Amino acid sequence: MPLATYQTSVPVVVDDAKCIADKGCTVCVDVCPLDVLRISDMTGKAYMAYDECWYCMPCEADCPTGAVTVNIPYLLR
Amino acid sequence: MAMDEIVDGMSEVSCDVLVIGGGTAGPMAALKAKLRNPKANVVLLEKANVKRSGAISMGMDGLNNAVIPGYATPEQYTKEITIANDGIVDQKAVYKYAQNCYGIIEELDSFGIRFLKNENGDYAVKKVHHIGTYVLPMPNGDTVKKALYRQLRRARILISNRYMATRLLTGSDGRVAGAISVNTRTAELLVIKAKAVILCMGAAGRLGLPTSGYMFGTYENAANSGDGYAMAYHAGAALANLECFQINPLIKDYNGPACAYVAGPFGAYTANNEGSRFIECDYWSGQMMLEFYNELLSGKGPVFLQLKHLHEKTIEEIESTLHKVERPTRGLFQKGRGNDYRTESIEMHISEIGFCSGHSASGVFVDDFARTTVPGLYAAGDMASVPHNYMLGAFTNGAVAGTDAMEFADNHDFADFDAADVAKERDRVMAPTRRDDGIPPNQIEYKARRLVNDYLQPPKVTRKFELGQRRLAEVREDMEQRMIARNSHELLRALETQSILDCADMAAHSSLYREESRWGLYHLRTDFPEKDNENWFCHTLLSKKDGRMTSEKRDVQPYVVPIADDEKDLYDKQRIRATA
């Protein structure tokens, strides 16, 4: 069966201007319990690659530059 | 290399004691094992990252079960938990916990985790339970993981993050021989030989589907997909009282507690839509959950946590705890809804089902040394069968497990395992990556968990369970024959889906076996509505025998702390009665 891509509004937002992943920082990717954040090959910045979030906050709390914001997923907002 | 590309590879390492799971019990087990024999190698394996993994990823607001001299005695606590868990308790392990936990509190204090003290410098313990006083707030509870991590580094524990353990290896004599794991970023296999293994893999919290429909909006950390329960089962270990589900009273739509444990001692309380109290005590027991459930259905719901009657300063203090630790997005959620504790009560609802001994009593069977029924295999924390043991139980029993496991490792050599077992497991693990076409793991997981909600959620109806088993068997066939994983991250989810389905099967099997009702809502069987002490005052042990799931009875061990007849049903009297 063919697979389709499913649209979803992701809860974790990264401010590219503040994110220093392109300088080698991987803190948010490292601490995520669900392992859903990645560094983009295109922009060099962190982003939410998989919408499998527990909105638990380590990514936001541990980010050294305050670039990460965790929102409540739309389905339970 | 493309994101999460699959690398086909396998390597092997060995250690003396392998601890699987770096949340709460795991770090303490690793520390104590190393302390017992500093020359030995202790490996701490973690599916996520030890810095922020597990139920206490963002810390905890307090200890729910602190037995502190001057406030409570081990005898009193053992009695309370025995009654709260409807008598089905091997008291030795609970009593040992109650004796040891004060020492662990002092040790955590020495790690830099502060507990609330009064003006005299004594611990400021609060009353939430029916009988005794055991709740100790943690004003800097957000620092727990950082404090633990410092200790692990200092003790030179070998930490392997982003490895998901999939199966245990056992020797021909039945003894544990190690574990097989998969790197969640590359899908490479790592075989770890060990003389003793401690499972600290948390609750099975991704079993039911939250009413929000968001698959990862579970009460438990969604990484806790029941992998430890599945691994113990496939290794032949016994699992105790799995029918004693975990169900929690939570904020409606949000997956955190409201939280009566924090707010209750300040004067907040659970009330119905008429503003009236209907339960005597907010401590989470199955009996309390049944009254909660009944109230929701009675027409007097919704149910609320009331705190708008409290003083501004008190509400500020409650907020500062609730919005900082454990589930800090609670504040964000309330703000988004426009809810202010000063003007509005917090609407509550009941959670999805799961297995968790931390809150109820469904866990891998362990004795008072945290030993499972497989020699050399230990379990601690939410997944081990010591009832109602919470975070402090994970620390305390983790310590017991670490010490005893190292003693075992010191006295045994590596058990030999069959290389064919590794090859077989490698095939099983990698199967979803070798298909070109099929069903993605998220759809299989969603369907399995939707069936859990439709058929296995209490009240438990025999006919529904039988139908549920049939539907789940169909999903299992899809999972085994057609599931695909296109990268290593999808493979992680695919493997978790297998744990979830194993847990669903175990939940159904164990529930059908116990032909009575017990533990309030946790095991409310409509076809057997009464408690039947004559036939079912016993544990049930589920295990894999000759490849098949079986259940059997096990006697409750003689009590260490006697319970008087007129005390036995104290937790059955949860509903507030109108008095003249």
Side-chain angles (χ1 to χ4, degrees):
Chain A
M1 277 187 298
L3 299 174
T5 317
Y6 188 82
Q7 296 300 310
T8 174
S9 155
V10 297
V12 174
V13 179
V14 177
D15 182 343
D16 282 356
K18 290 185 186 166
C19 176
I20 51 167
D22 50 351
K23 308 262 189 321
C25 179
T26 58
V27 168
C28 62
V29 178
D30 290 344
V31 295
C32 175
L34 276 305
D35 203 14
V36 297
L37 303 176
R38 292 291 181 271
I39 312 291
S40 164
D41 285 339
M42 312 255 284
T43 63
K45 306 292 183 180
Y47 76 108
M48 191 172 202
Y50 306 98
D51 181 15
E52 300 161 343
C53 185
W54 197 48
Y55 33 102
C56 49
M57 297 272 268
C59 54
E60 181 180 316
D62 295 351
C63 173
T65 62
V68 182
T69 305
V70 175
N71 296 298
I72 302 290
Y74 177 71
L75 288 184
L76 54 138
R77 202 173 291 166
Chain B
M1 196 171 113
M3 187 173 79
D4 302 320
E5 195 175 316
I6 291 166
V7 179
D8 211 352
M10 187 164 78
S11 48
E12 188 180 295
V13 294
S14 62
C15 63
D16 295 290
V17 172
L18 169 65
V19 182
I20 306 177
T24 314
M28 191 58 100
L31 282 171
K32 293 294 176 180
K34 189 75 178 171
L35 193 69
R36 181 79 179 74
N37 181 356
K39 284 187 215 145
N41 277 328
V42 177
V43 169
L44 179 56
L45 193 80
E46 165 61 50
K47 184 161 77 170
N49 185 309
V50 174
K51 280 184 186 168
R52 287 295 197 181
S53 58
I56 61 164
S57 164
M58 286 300 283
M60 193 48 68
D61 49 27
L63 301 174
N64 293 336
N65 51 348
V67 185
I68 294 182
Y71 290 97
T73 63
E75 287 75 15
Q76 193 182 31
Y77 176 80
T78 304
K79 185 186 275 193
E80 176 118 27
I81 294 307
T82 304
I83 300 168
N85 202 50
D86 238 334
I88 311 297
V89 173
D90 282 356
Q91 285 189 340
K92 246 167 122 181
V94 176
Y95 188 67
K96 186 170 180 175
Y97 157 80
Q99 285 178 309
N100 288 351
C101 72
Y102 184 61
I104 295 288
I105 293 171
E106 292 192 305
E107 196 165 353
L108 294 172
D109 200 70
S110 77
F111 292 173
I113 301 162
R114 272 193 309 118
F115 299 97
L116 191 66
K117 290 183 177 156
N118 61 25
E119 54 279 9
N120 301 324
D122 297 327
Y123 290 119
V125 197
K126 315 276 184 191
K127 185 173 187 302
V128 173
H129 293 60
H130 214 45
I131 312 167
T133 303
Y134 316 101
V135 173
L136 179 57
M138 296 161 65
N140 70 340
D142 55 323
T143 61
V144 181
K145 286 296 283 193
K146 283 208 165 92
L148 283 175
Y149 196 72
R150 272 198 304 274
Q151 298 299 320
L152 291 170
R153 296 305 297 250
R154 186 173 297 167
R156 297 179 183 279
I157 306 293
L158 304 164
I159 297 172
S160 287
N161 290 317
R162 304 292 173 197
Y163 278 94
M164 176 188 181
T166 64
R167 286 289 185 267
L168 289 159
L169 289 164
T170 47
S172 52
D173 56 353
R175 188 154 57 93
V176 78
I180 300 173
S181 64
V182 187
N183 186 304
T184 64
R185 299 267 176 83
T186 64
E188 286 166 290
L189 264 73
L190 177 67
V191 179
I192 308 154
K193 288 169 61 178
K195 296 169 183 169
V197 177
I198 309 173
L199 303 177
C200 303
M201 300 165 75
R206 228 159 85 208
L207 186 53
L209 195 63
T211 47
S212 67
Y214 190 67
M215 282 167 74
F216 292 78
T218 49
Y219 169 71
E220 294 290 344
N221 186 326
N224 291 342
S225 43
D227 310 328
Y229 288 80
M231 280 173 63
Y233 171 72
H234 290 292
L239 295 101
N241 303 316
L242 296 180
E243 64 278 14
C244 180
F245 291 172
Q246 168 182 232
I247 307 167
N248 300 317
L250 304 179
I251 298 170
K252 170 86 168 65
D253 294 338
Y254 184 79
N255 52 336
C259 155
Y261 286 16
V262 170
F266 291 102
Y269 57 90
T270 309
N272 61 21
N273 194 31
E274 295 166 357
S276 307
R277 294 176 193 240
F278 62 95
I279 41 175
E280 292 275 358
C281 143
D282 279 311
Y283 181 66
W284 292 3
S285 63
Q287 298 86 329
M288 178 275 221
M289 278 309 305
L290 180 58
E291 294 306 342
F292 200 113
Y293 172 80
N294 286 339
E295 201 70 5
L296 285 173
L297 291 187
S298 71
K300 287 186 183 169
V303 169
F304 298 94
L305 183 70
Q306 298 268 62
L307 30 72
K308 60 185 176 192
H309 58 288
L310 301 176
H311 189 270
E312 168 63 28
K313 286 265 181 260
T314 311
I315 292 182
E316 267 175 37
E317 198 173 337
I318 293 169
E319 269 179 345
S320 71
T321 305
L322 289 182
H323 299 174
K324 197 175 80 181
V325 287
E326 190 182 351
R327 301 293 291 140
T329 46
R330 251 186 299 223
L332 194 62
F333 173 81
Q334 300 290 16
K335 201 175 156 212
R337 289 275 174 103
N339 292 345
D340 186 337
Y341 299 156
R342 288 153 194 82
T343 54
E344 220 166 341
S345 302
I346 306 172
E347 186 187 353
M348 295 169 73
H349 203 72
I350 59 177
S351 73
E352 70 282 353
I353 67 161
F355 295 149
C356 175
S357 257
H359 297 86
S360 64
S362 34
V364 173
F365 177 82
V366 291
D367 67 8
D368 51 321
F369 288 94
R371 298 168 183 155
T372 71
T373 55
V374 171
L377 181 66
Y378 294 76
D382 278 347
M383 65 165 288
S385 67
V386 183
H388 296 232
N389 77 123
Y390 288 95
M391 179 179 73
L392 188 55
F395 282 131
T396 308
N397 297 326
V400 168
T403 306
D404 203 74
M406 187 54 84
E407 256 174 63
F408 186 92
D410 285 343
N411 292 308
H412 292 83
D413 206 348
F414 293 104
D416 286 322
F417 58 87
D418 191 345
D421 290 345
V422 176
K424 208 173 122 199
E425 177 59 2
R426 189 179 188 180
D427 285 344
R428 187 190 74 88
V429 165
M430 298 307 284
T433 70
R434 294 183 175 142
R435 297 183 186 114
D436 297 327
D437 190 16
I439 305 167
N442 63 326
Q443 279 196 299
I444 296 184
E445 177 181 338
Y446 185 90
K447 190 166 177 180
R449 293 173 60 193
R450 195 264 297 169
L451 293 171
V452 166
N453 278 23
D454 284 355
Y455 293 104
L456 308 189
Q457 217 167 208
K460 302 178 183 178
V461 181
T462 306
R463 182 80 180 115
K464 279 175 73 177
F465 266 64
E466 288 164 356
L467 287 170
Q469 285 180 315
R470 267 169 55 191
R471 296 283 96 81
L472 286 165
E474 292 158 11
V475 176
R476 175 175 289 279
E477 195 171 317
D478 292 337
M479 180 182 77
E480 287 172 356
Q481 305 301 326
R482 302 174 64 199
M483 183 160 64
I484 52 162
R486 295 166 300 173
N487 61 39
S488 56
H489 183 80
E490 280 187 7
L491 181 62
L492 158 72
R493 296 289 176 246
L495 292 164
E496 289 176 338
T497 299
Q498 309 201 17
S499 301
I500 291 165
L501 214 61
D502 282 346
C503 288
D505 284 348
M506 290 193 273
H509 190 276
S510 58
S511 294
L512 285 174
Y513 182 66
R514 187 182 282 276
E515 295 186 332
E516 63 153 357
S517 287
R518 193 173 288 270
W519 303 296
L521 185 63
Y522 299 163
H523 186 64
L524 179 65
R525 279 197 72 174
T526 52
D527 303 289
F528 303 95
E530 301 300 323
K531 198 188 300 189
D532 177 3
N533 279 330
E534 202 173 311
N535 295 301
W536 291 101
F537 191 83
C538 60
H539 301 283
T540 65
L541 294 187
L542 178 147
S543 64
K544 189 178 180 179
K545 284 188 177 151
D546 304 320
R548 294 182 67 87
M549 199 174 280
T550 57
S551 283
E552 61 194 306
K553 294 182 181 181
R554 179 191 149 94
D555 287 343
V556 172
Q557 298 304 294
Y559 286 166
V560 182
V561 180
I563 314 281
D565 280 341
D566 62 345
E567 293 173 318
K568 281 178 182 161
D569 60 350
L570 281 178
Y571 268 77
D572 289 337
K573 297 170 183 164
Q574 293 285 332
R575 180 158 284 272
I576 288 183
R577 284 166 180 77
T579 46

